[in-house]
Amino acid sequence: MFVLVNLKTYPCDPVAVADAVRDVDESTDARLAVAPQAADLARVAETGVETWAQHVDPIEHGSNTGHTLAESVADAGAVGTLINHSERRLKLADIDGSVRAAERAGLETVVCANNPEQIGAAAALGPDAVAVEPPELIGTGTPVSQADPDIVEDAVEAADNVDSEVSVLCGAGISTGDDVVAAGDLGAEGVLLASGVAKADDPQAALEDLVDPL
């Protein structure tokens, strides 16, 4: 299972969370990674944790003030990037451009989508993985695997029908080890989560709970 912790813009210490993710990663067979804000990528990567960006833009070097260049993300130590998170939505053509930009920079990609239909469209763009995240469940503590398990199963089927090499992750409301196990039982190969770790009083304990049943 792949567990990707998105720190969003939460007021947490990104290095402290990164240290926790790294330490738990060393004690489990699961694969753990963290996605800090762009300004924190380098110092998070320096902890030795697998580091992901939250976004890259569909651009090349040039006149692109205020954008995030995939090569800069990679130079800062990131090995992958989220694309089209529900809080950073893109048009389909821009999702494609961002995937291509990430590939150009050697970054792994996870494209987020709201429902199985969008998952199919995202999988057709050839990312490494897609993640189904119903936006109404994000941050609620109610996992999609519990609220509507059919969404996860249908997303897995939709991706497989387009490209069986594209992995499917499950997001929104993931906060416990049981949530991670349920996602796996429904066919997901990983989970995205944020507040369950980033806003926890003890991020390491929260992570240990997440991976303990795996």
Side-chain angles (χ1 to χ4, degrees):
M1 277 304 260
F2 181 34
V3 178
L4 178 53
V5 181
N6 178 12
L7 300 187
K8 302 191 176 185
T9 58
Y10 288 134
C12 59
D13 180 342
V15 172
V17 176
D19 284 338
V21 174
R22 180 202 61 217
D23 291 347
V24 175
D25 180 62
E26 293 173 352
S27 66
T28 178
D29 291 332
R31 173 190 175 193
L32 274 62
V34 61
Q37 296 181 59
D40 297 321
L41 281 169
R43 60 196 188 110
V44 164
E46 286 174 358
T47 69
V49 73
E50 181 176 330
T51 304
W52 280 57
Q54 296 180 10
H55 169 79
V56 296
D57 285 301
I59 60 168
E60 298 181 2
H61 287 281
S63 302
N64 303 294
T65 301
H67 289 73
T68 302
L69 182 70
E71 283 83 357
S72 296
V73 163
D75 288 345
V79 300
T81 184
L82 294 172
I83 295 171
N84 195 49
H85 190 276
S86 65
E87 295 158 0
R88 187 65 172 86
R89 300 294 300 278
L90 301 172
K91 295 179 180 179
L92 189 62
D94 289 335
I95 297 172
D96 187 28
S98 291
V99 171
R100 303 286 83 78
E103 289 176 343
R104 189 182 67 229
L107 296 171
E108 193 172 343
T109 51
V110 172
V111 175
C112 301
N114 292 349
N115 55 54
E117 292 75 19
Q118 292 182 12
I119 285 290
L125 301 177
D128 295 290
V130 290
V132 60
E133 285 196 305
E136 66 273 14
L137 296 178
I138 292 176
T140 65
T142 301
V144 62
S145 57
Q146 175 183 317
D148 194 347
D150 287 346
I151 289 180
V152 181
E153 292 182 319
D154 290 348
V156 171
E157 182 179 3
D160 188 61
N161 286 340
V162 173
D163 186 345
S164 61
E165 296 299 312
V166 176
S167 302
V168 178
L169 280 59
C170 173
I174 304 292
S175 60
T176 70
D178 289 342
D179 297 340
V180 178
V181 171
D185 289 343
L186 293 169
E189 297 181 42
V191 295
L192 300 183
L193 70 155
S195 58
V197 172
K199 297 173 73 173
D201 292 333
D202 187 339
Q204 182 158 340
L207 283 162
E208 289 170 344
D209 174 67
L210 278 166
V211 303
D212 181 64
L214 301 179

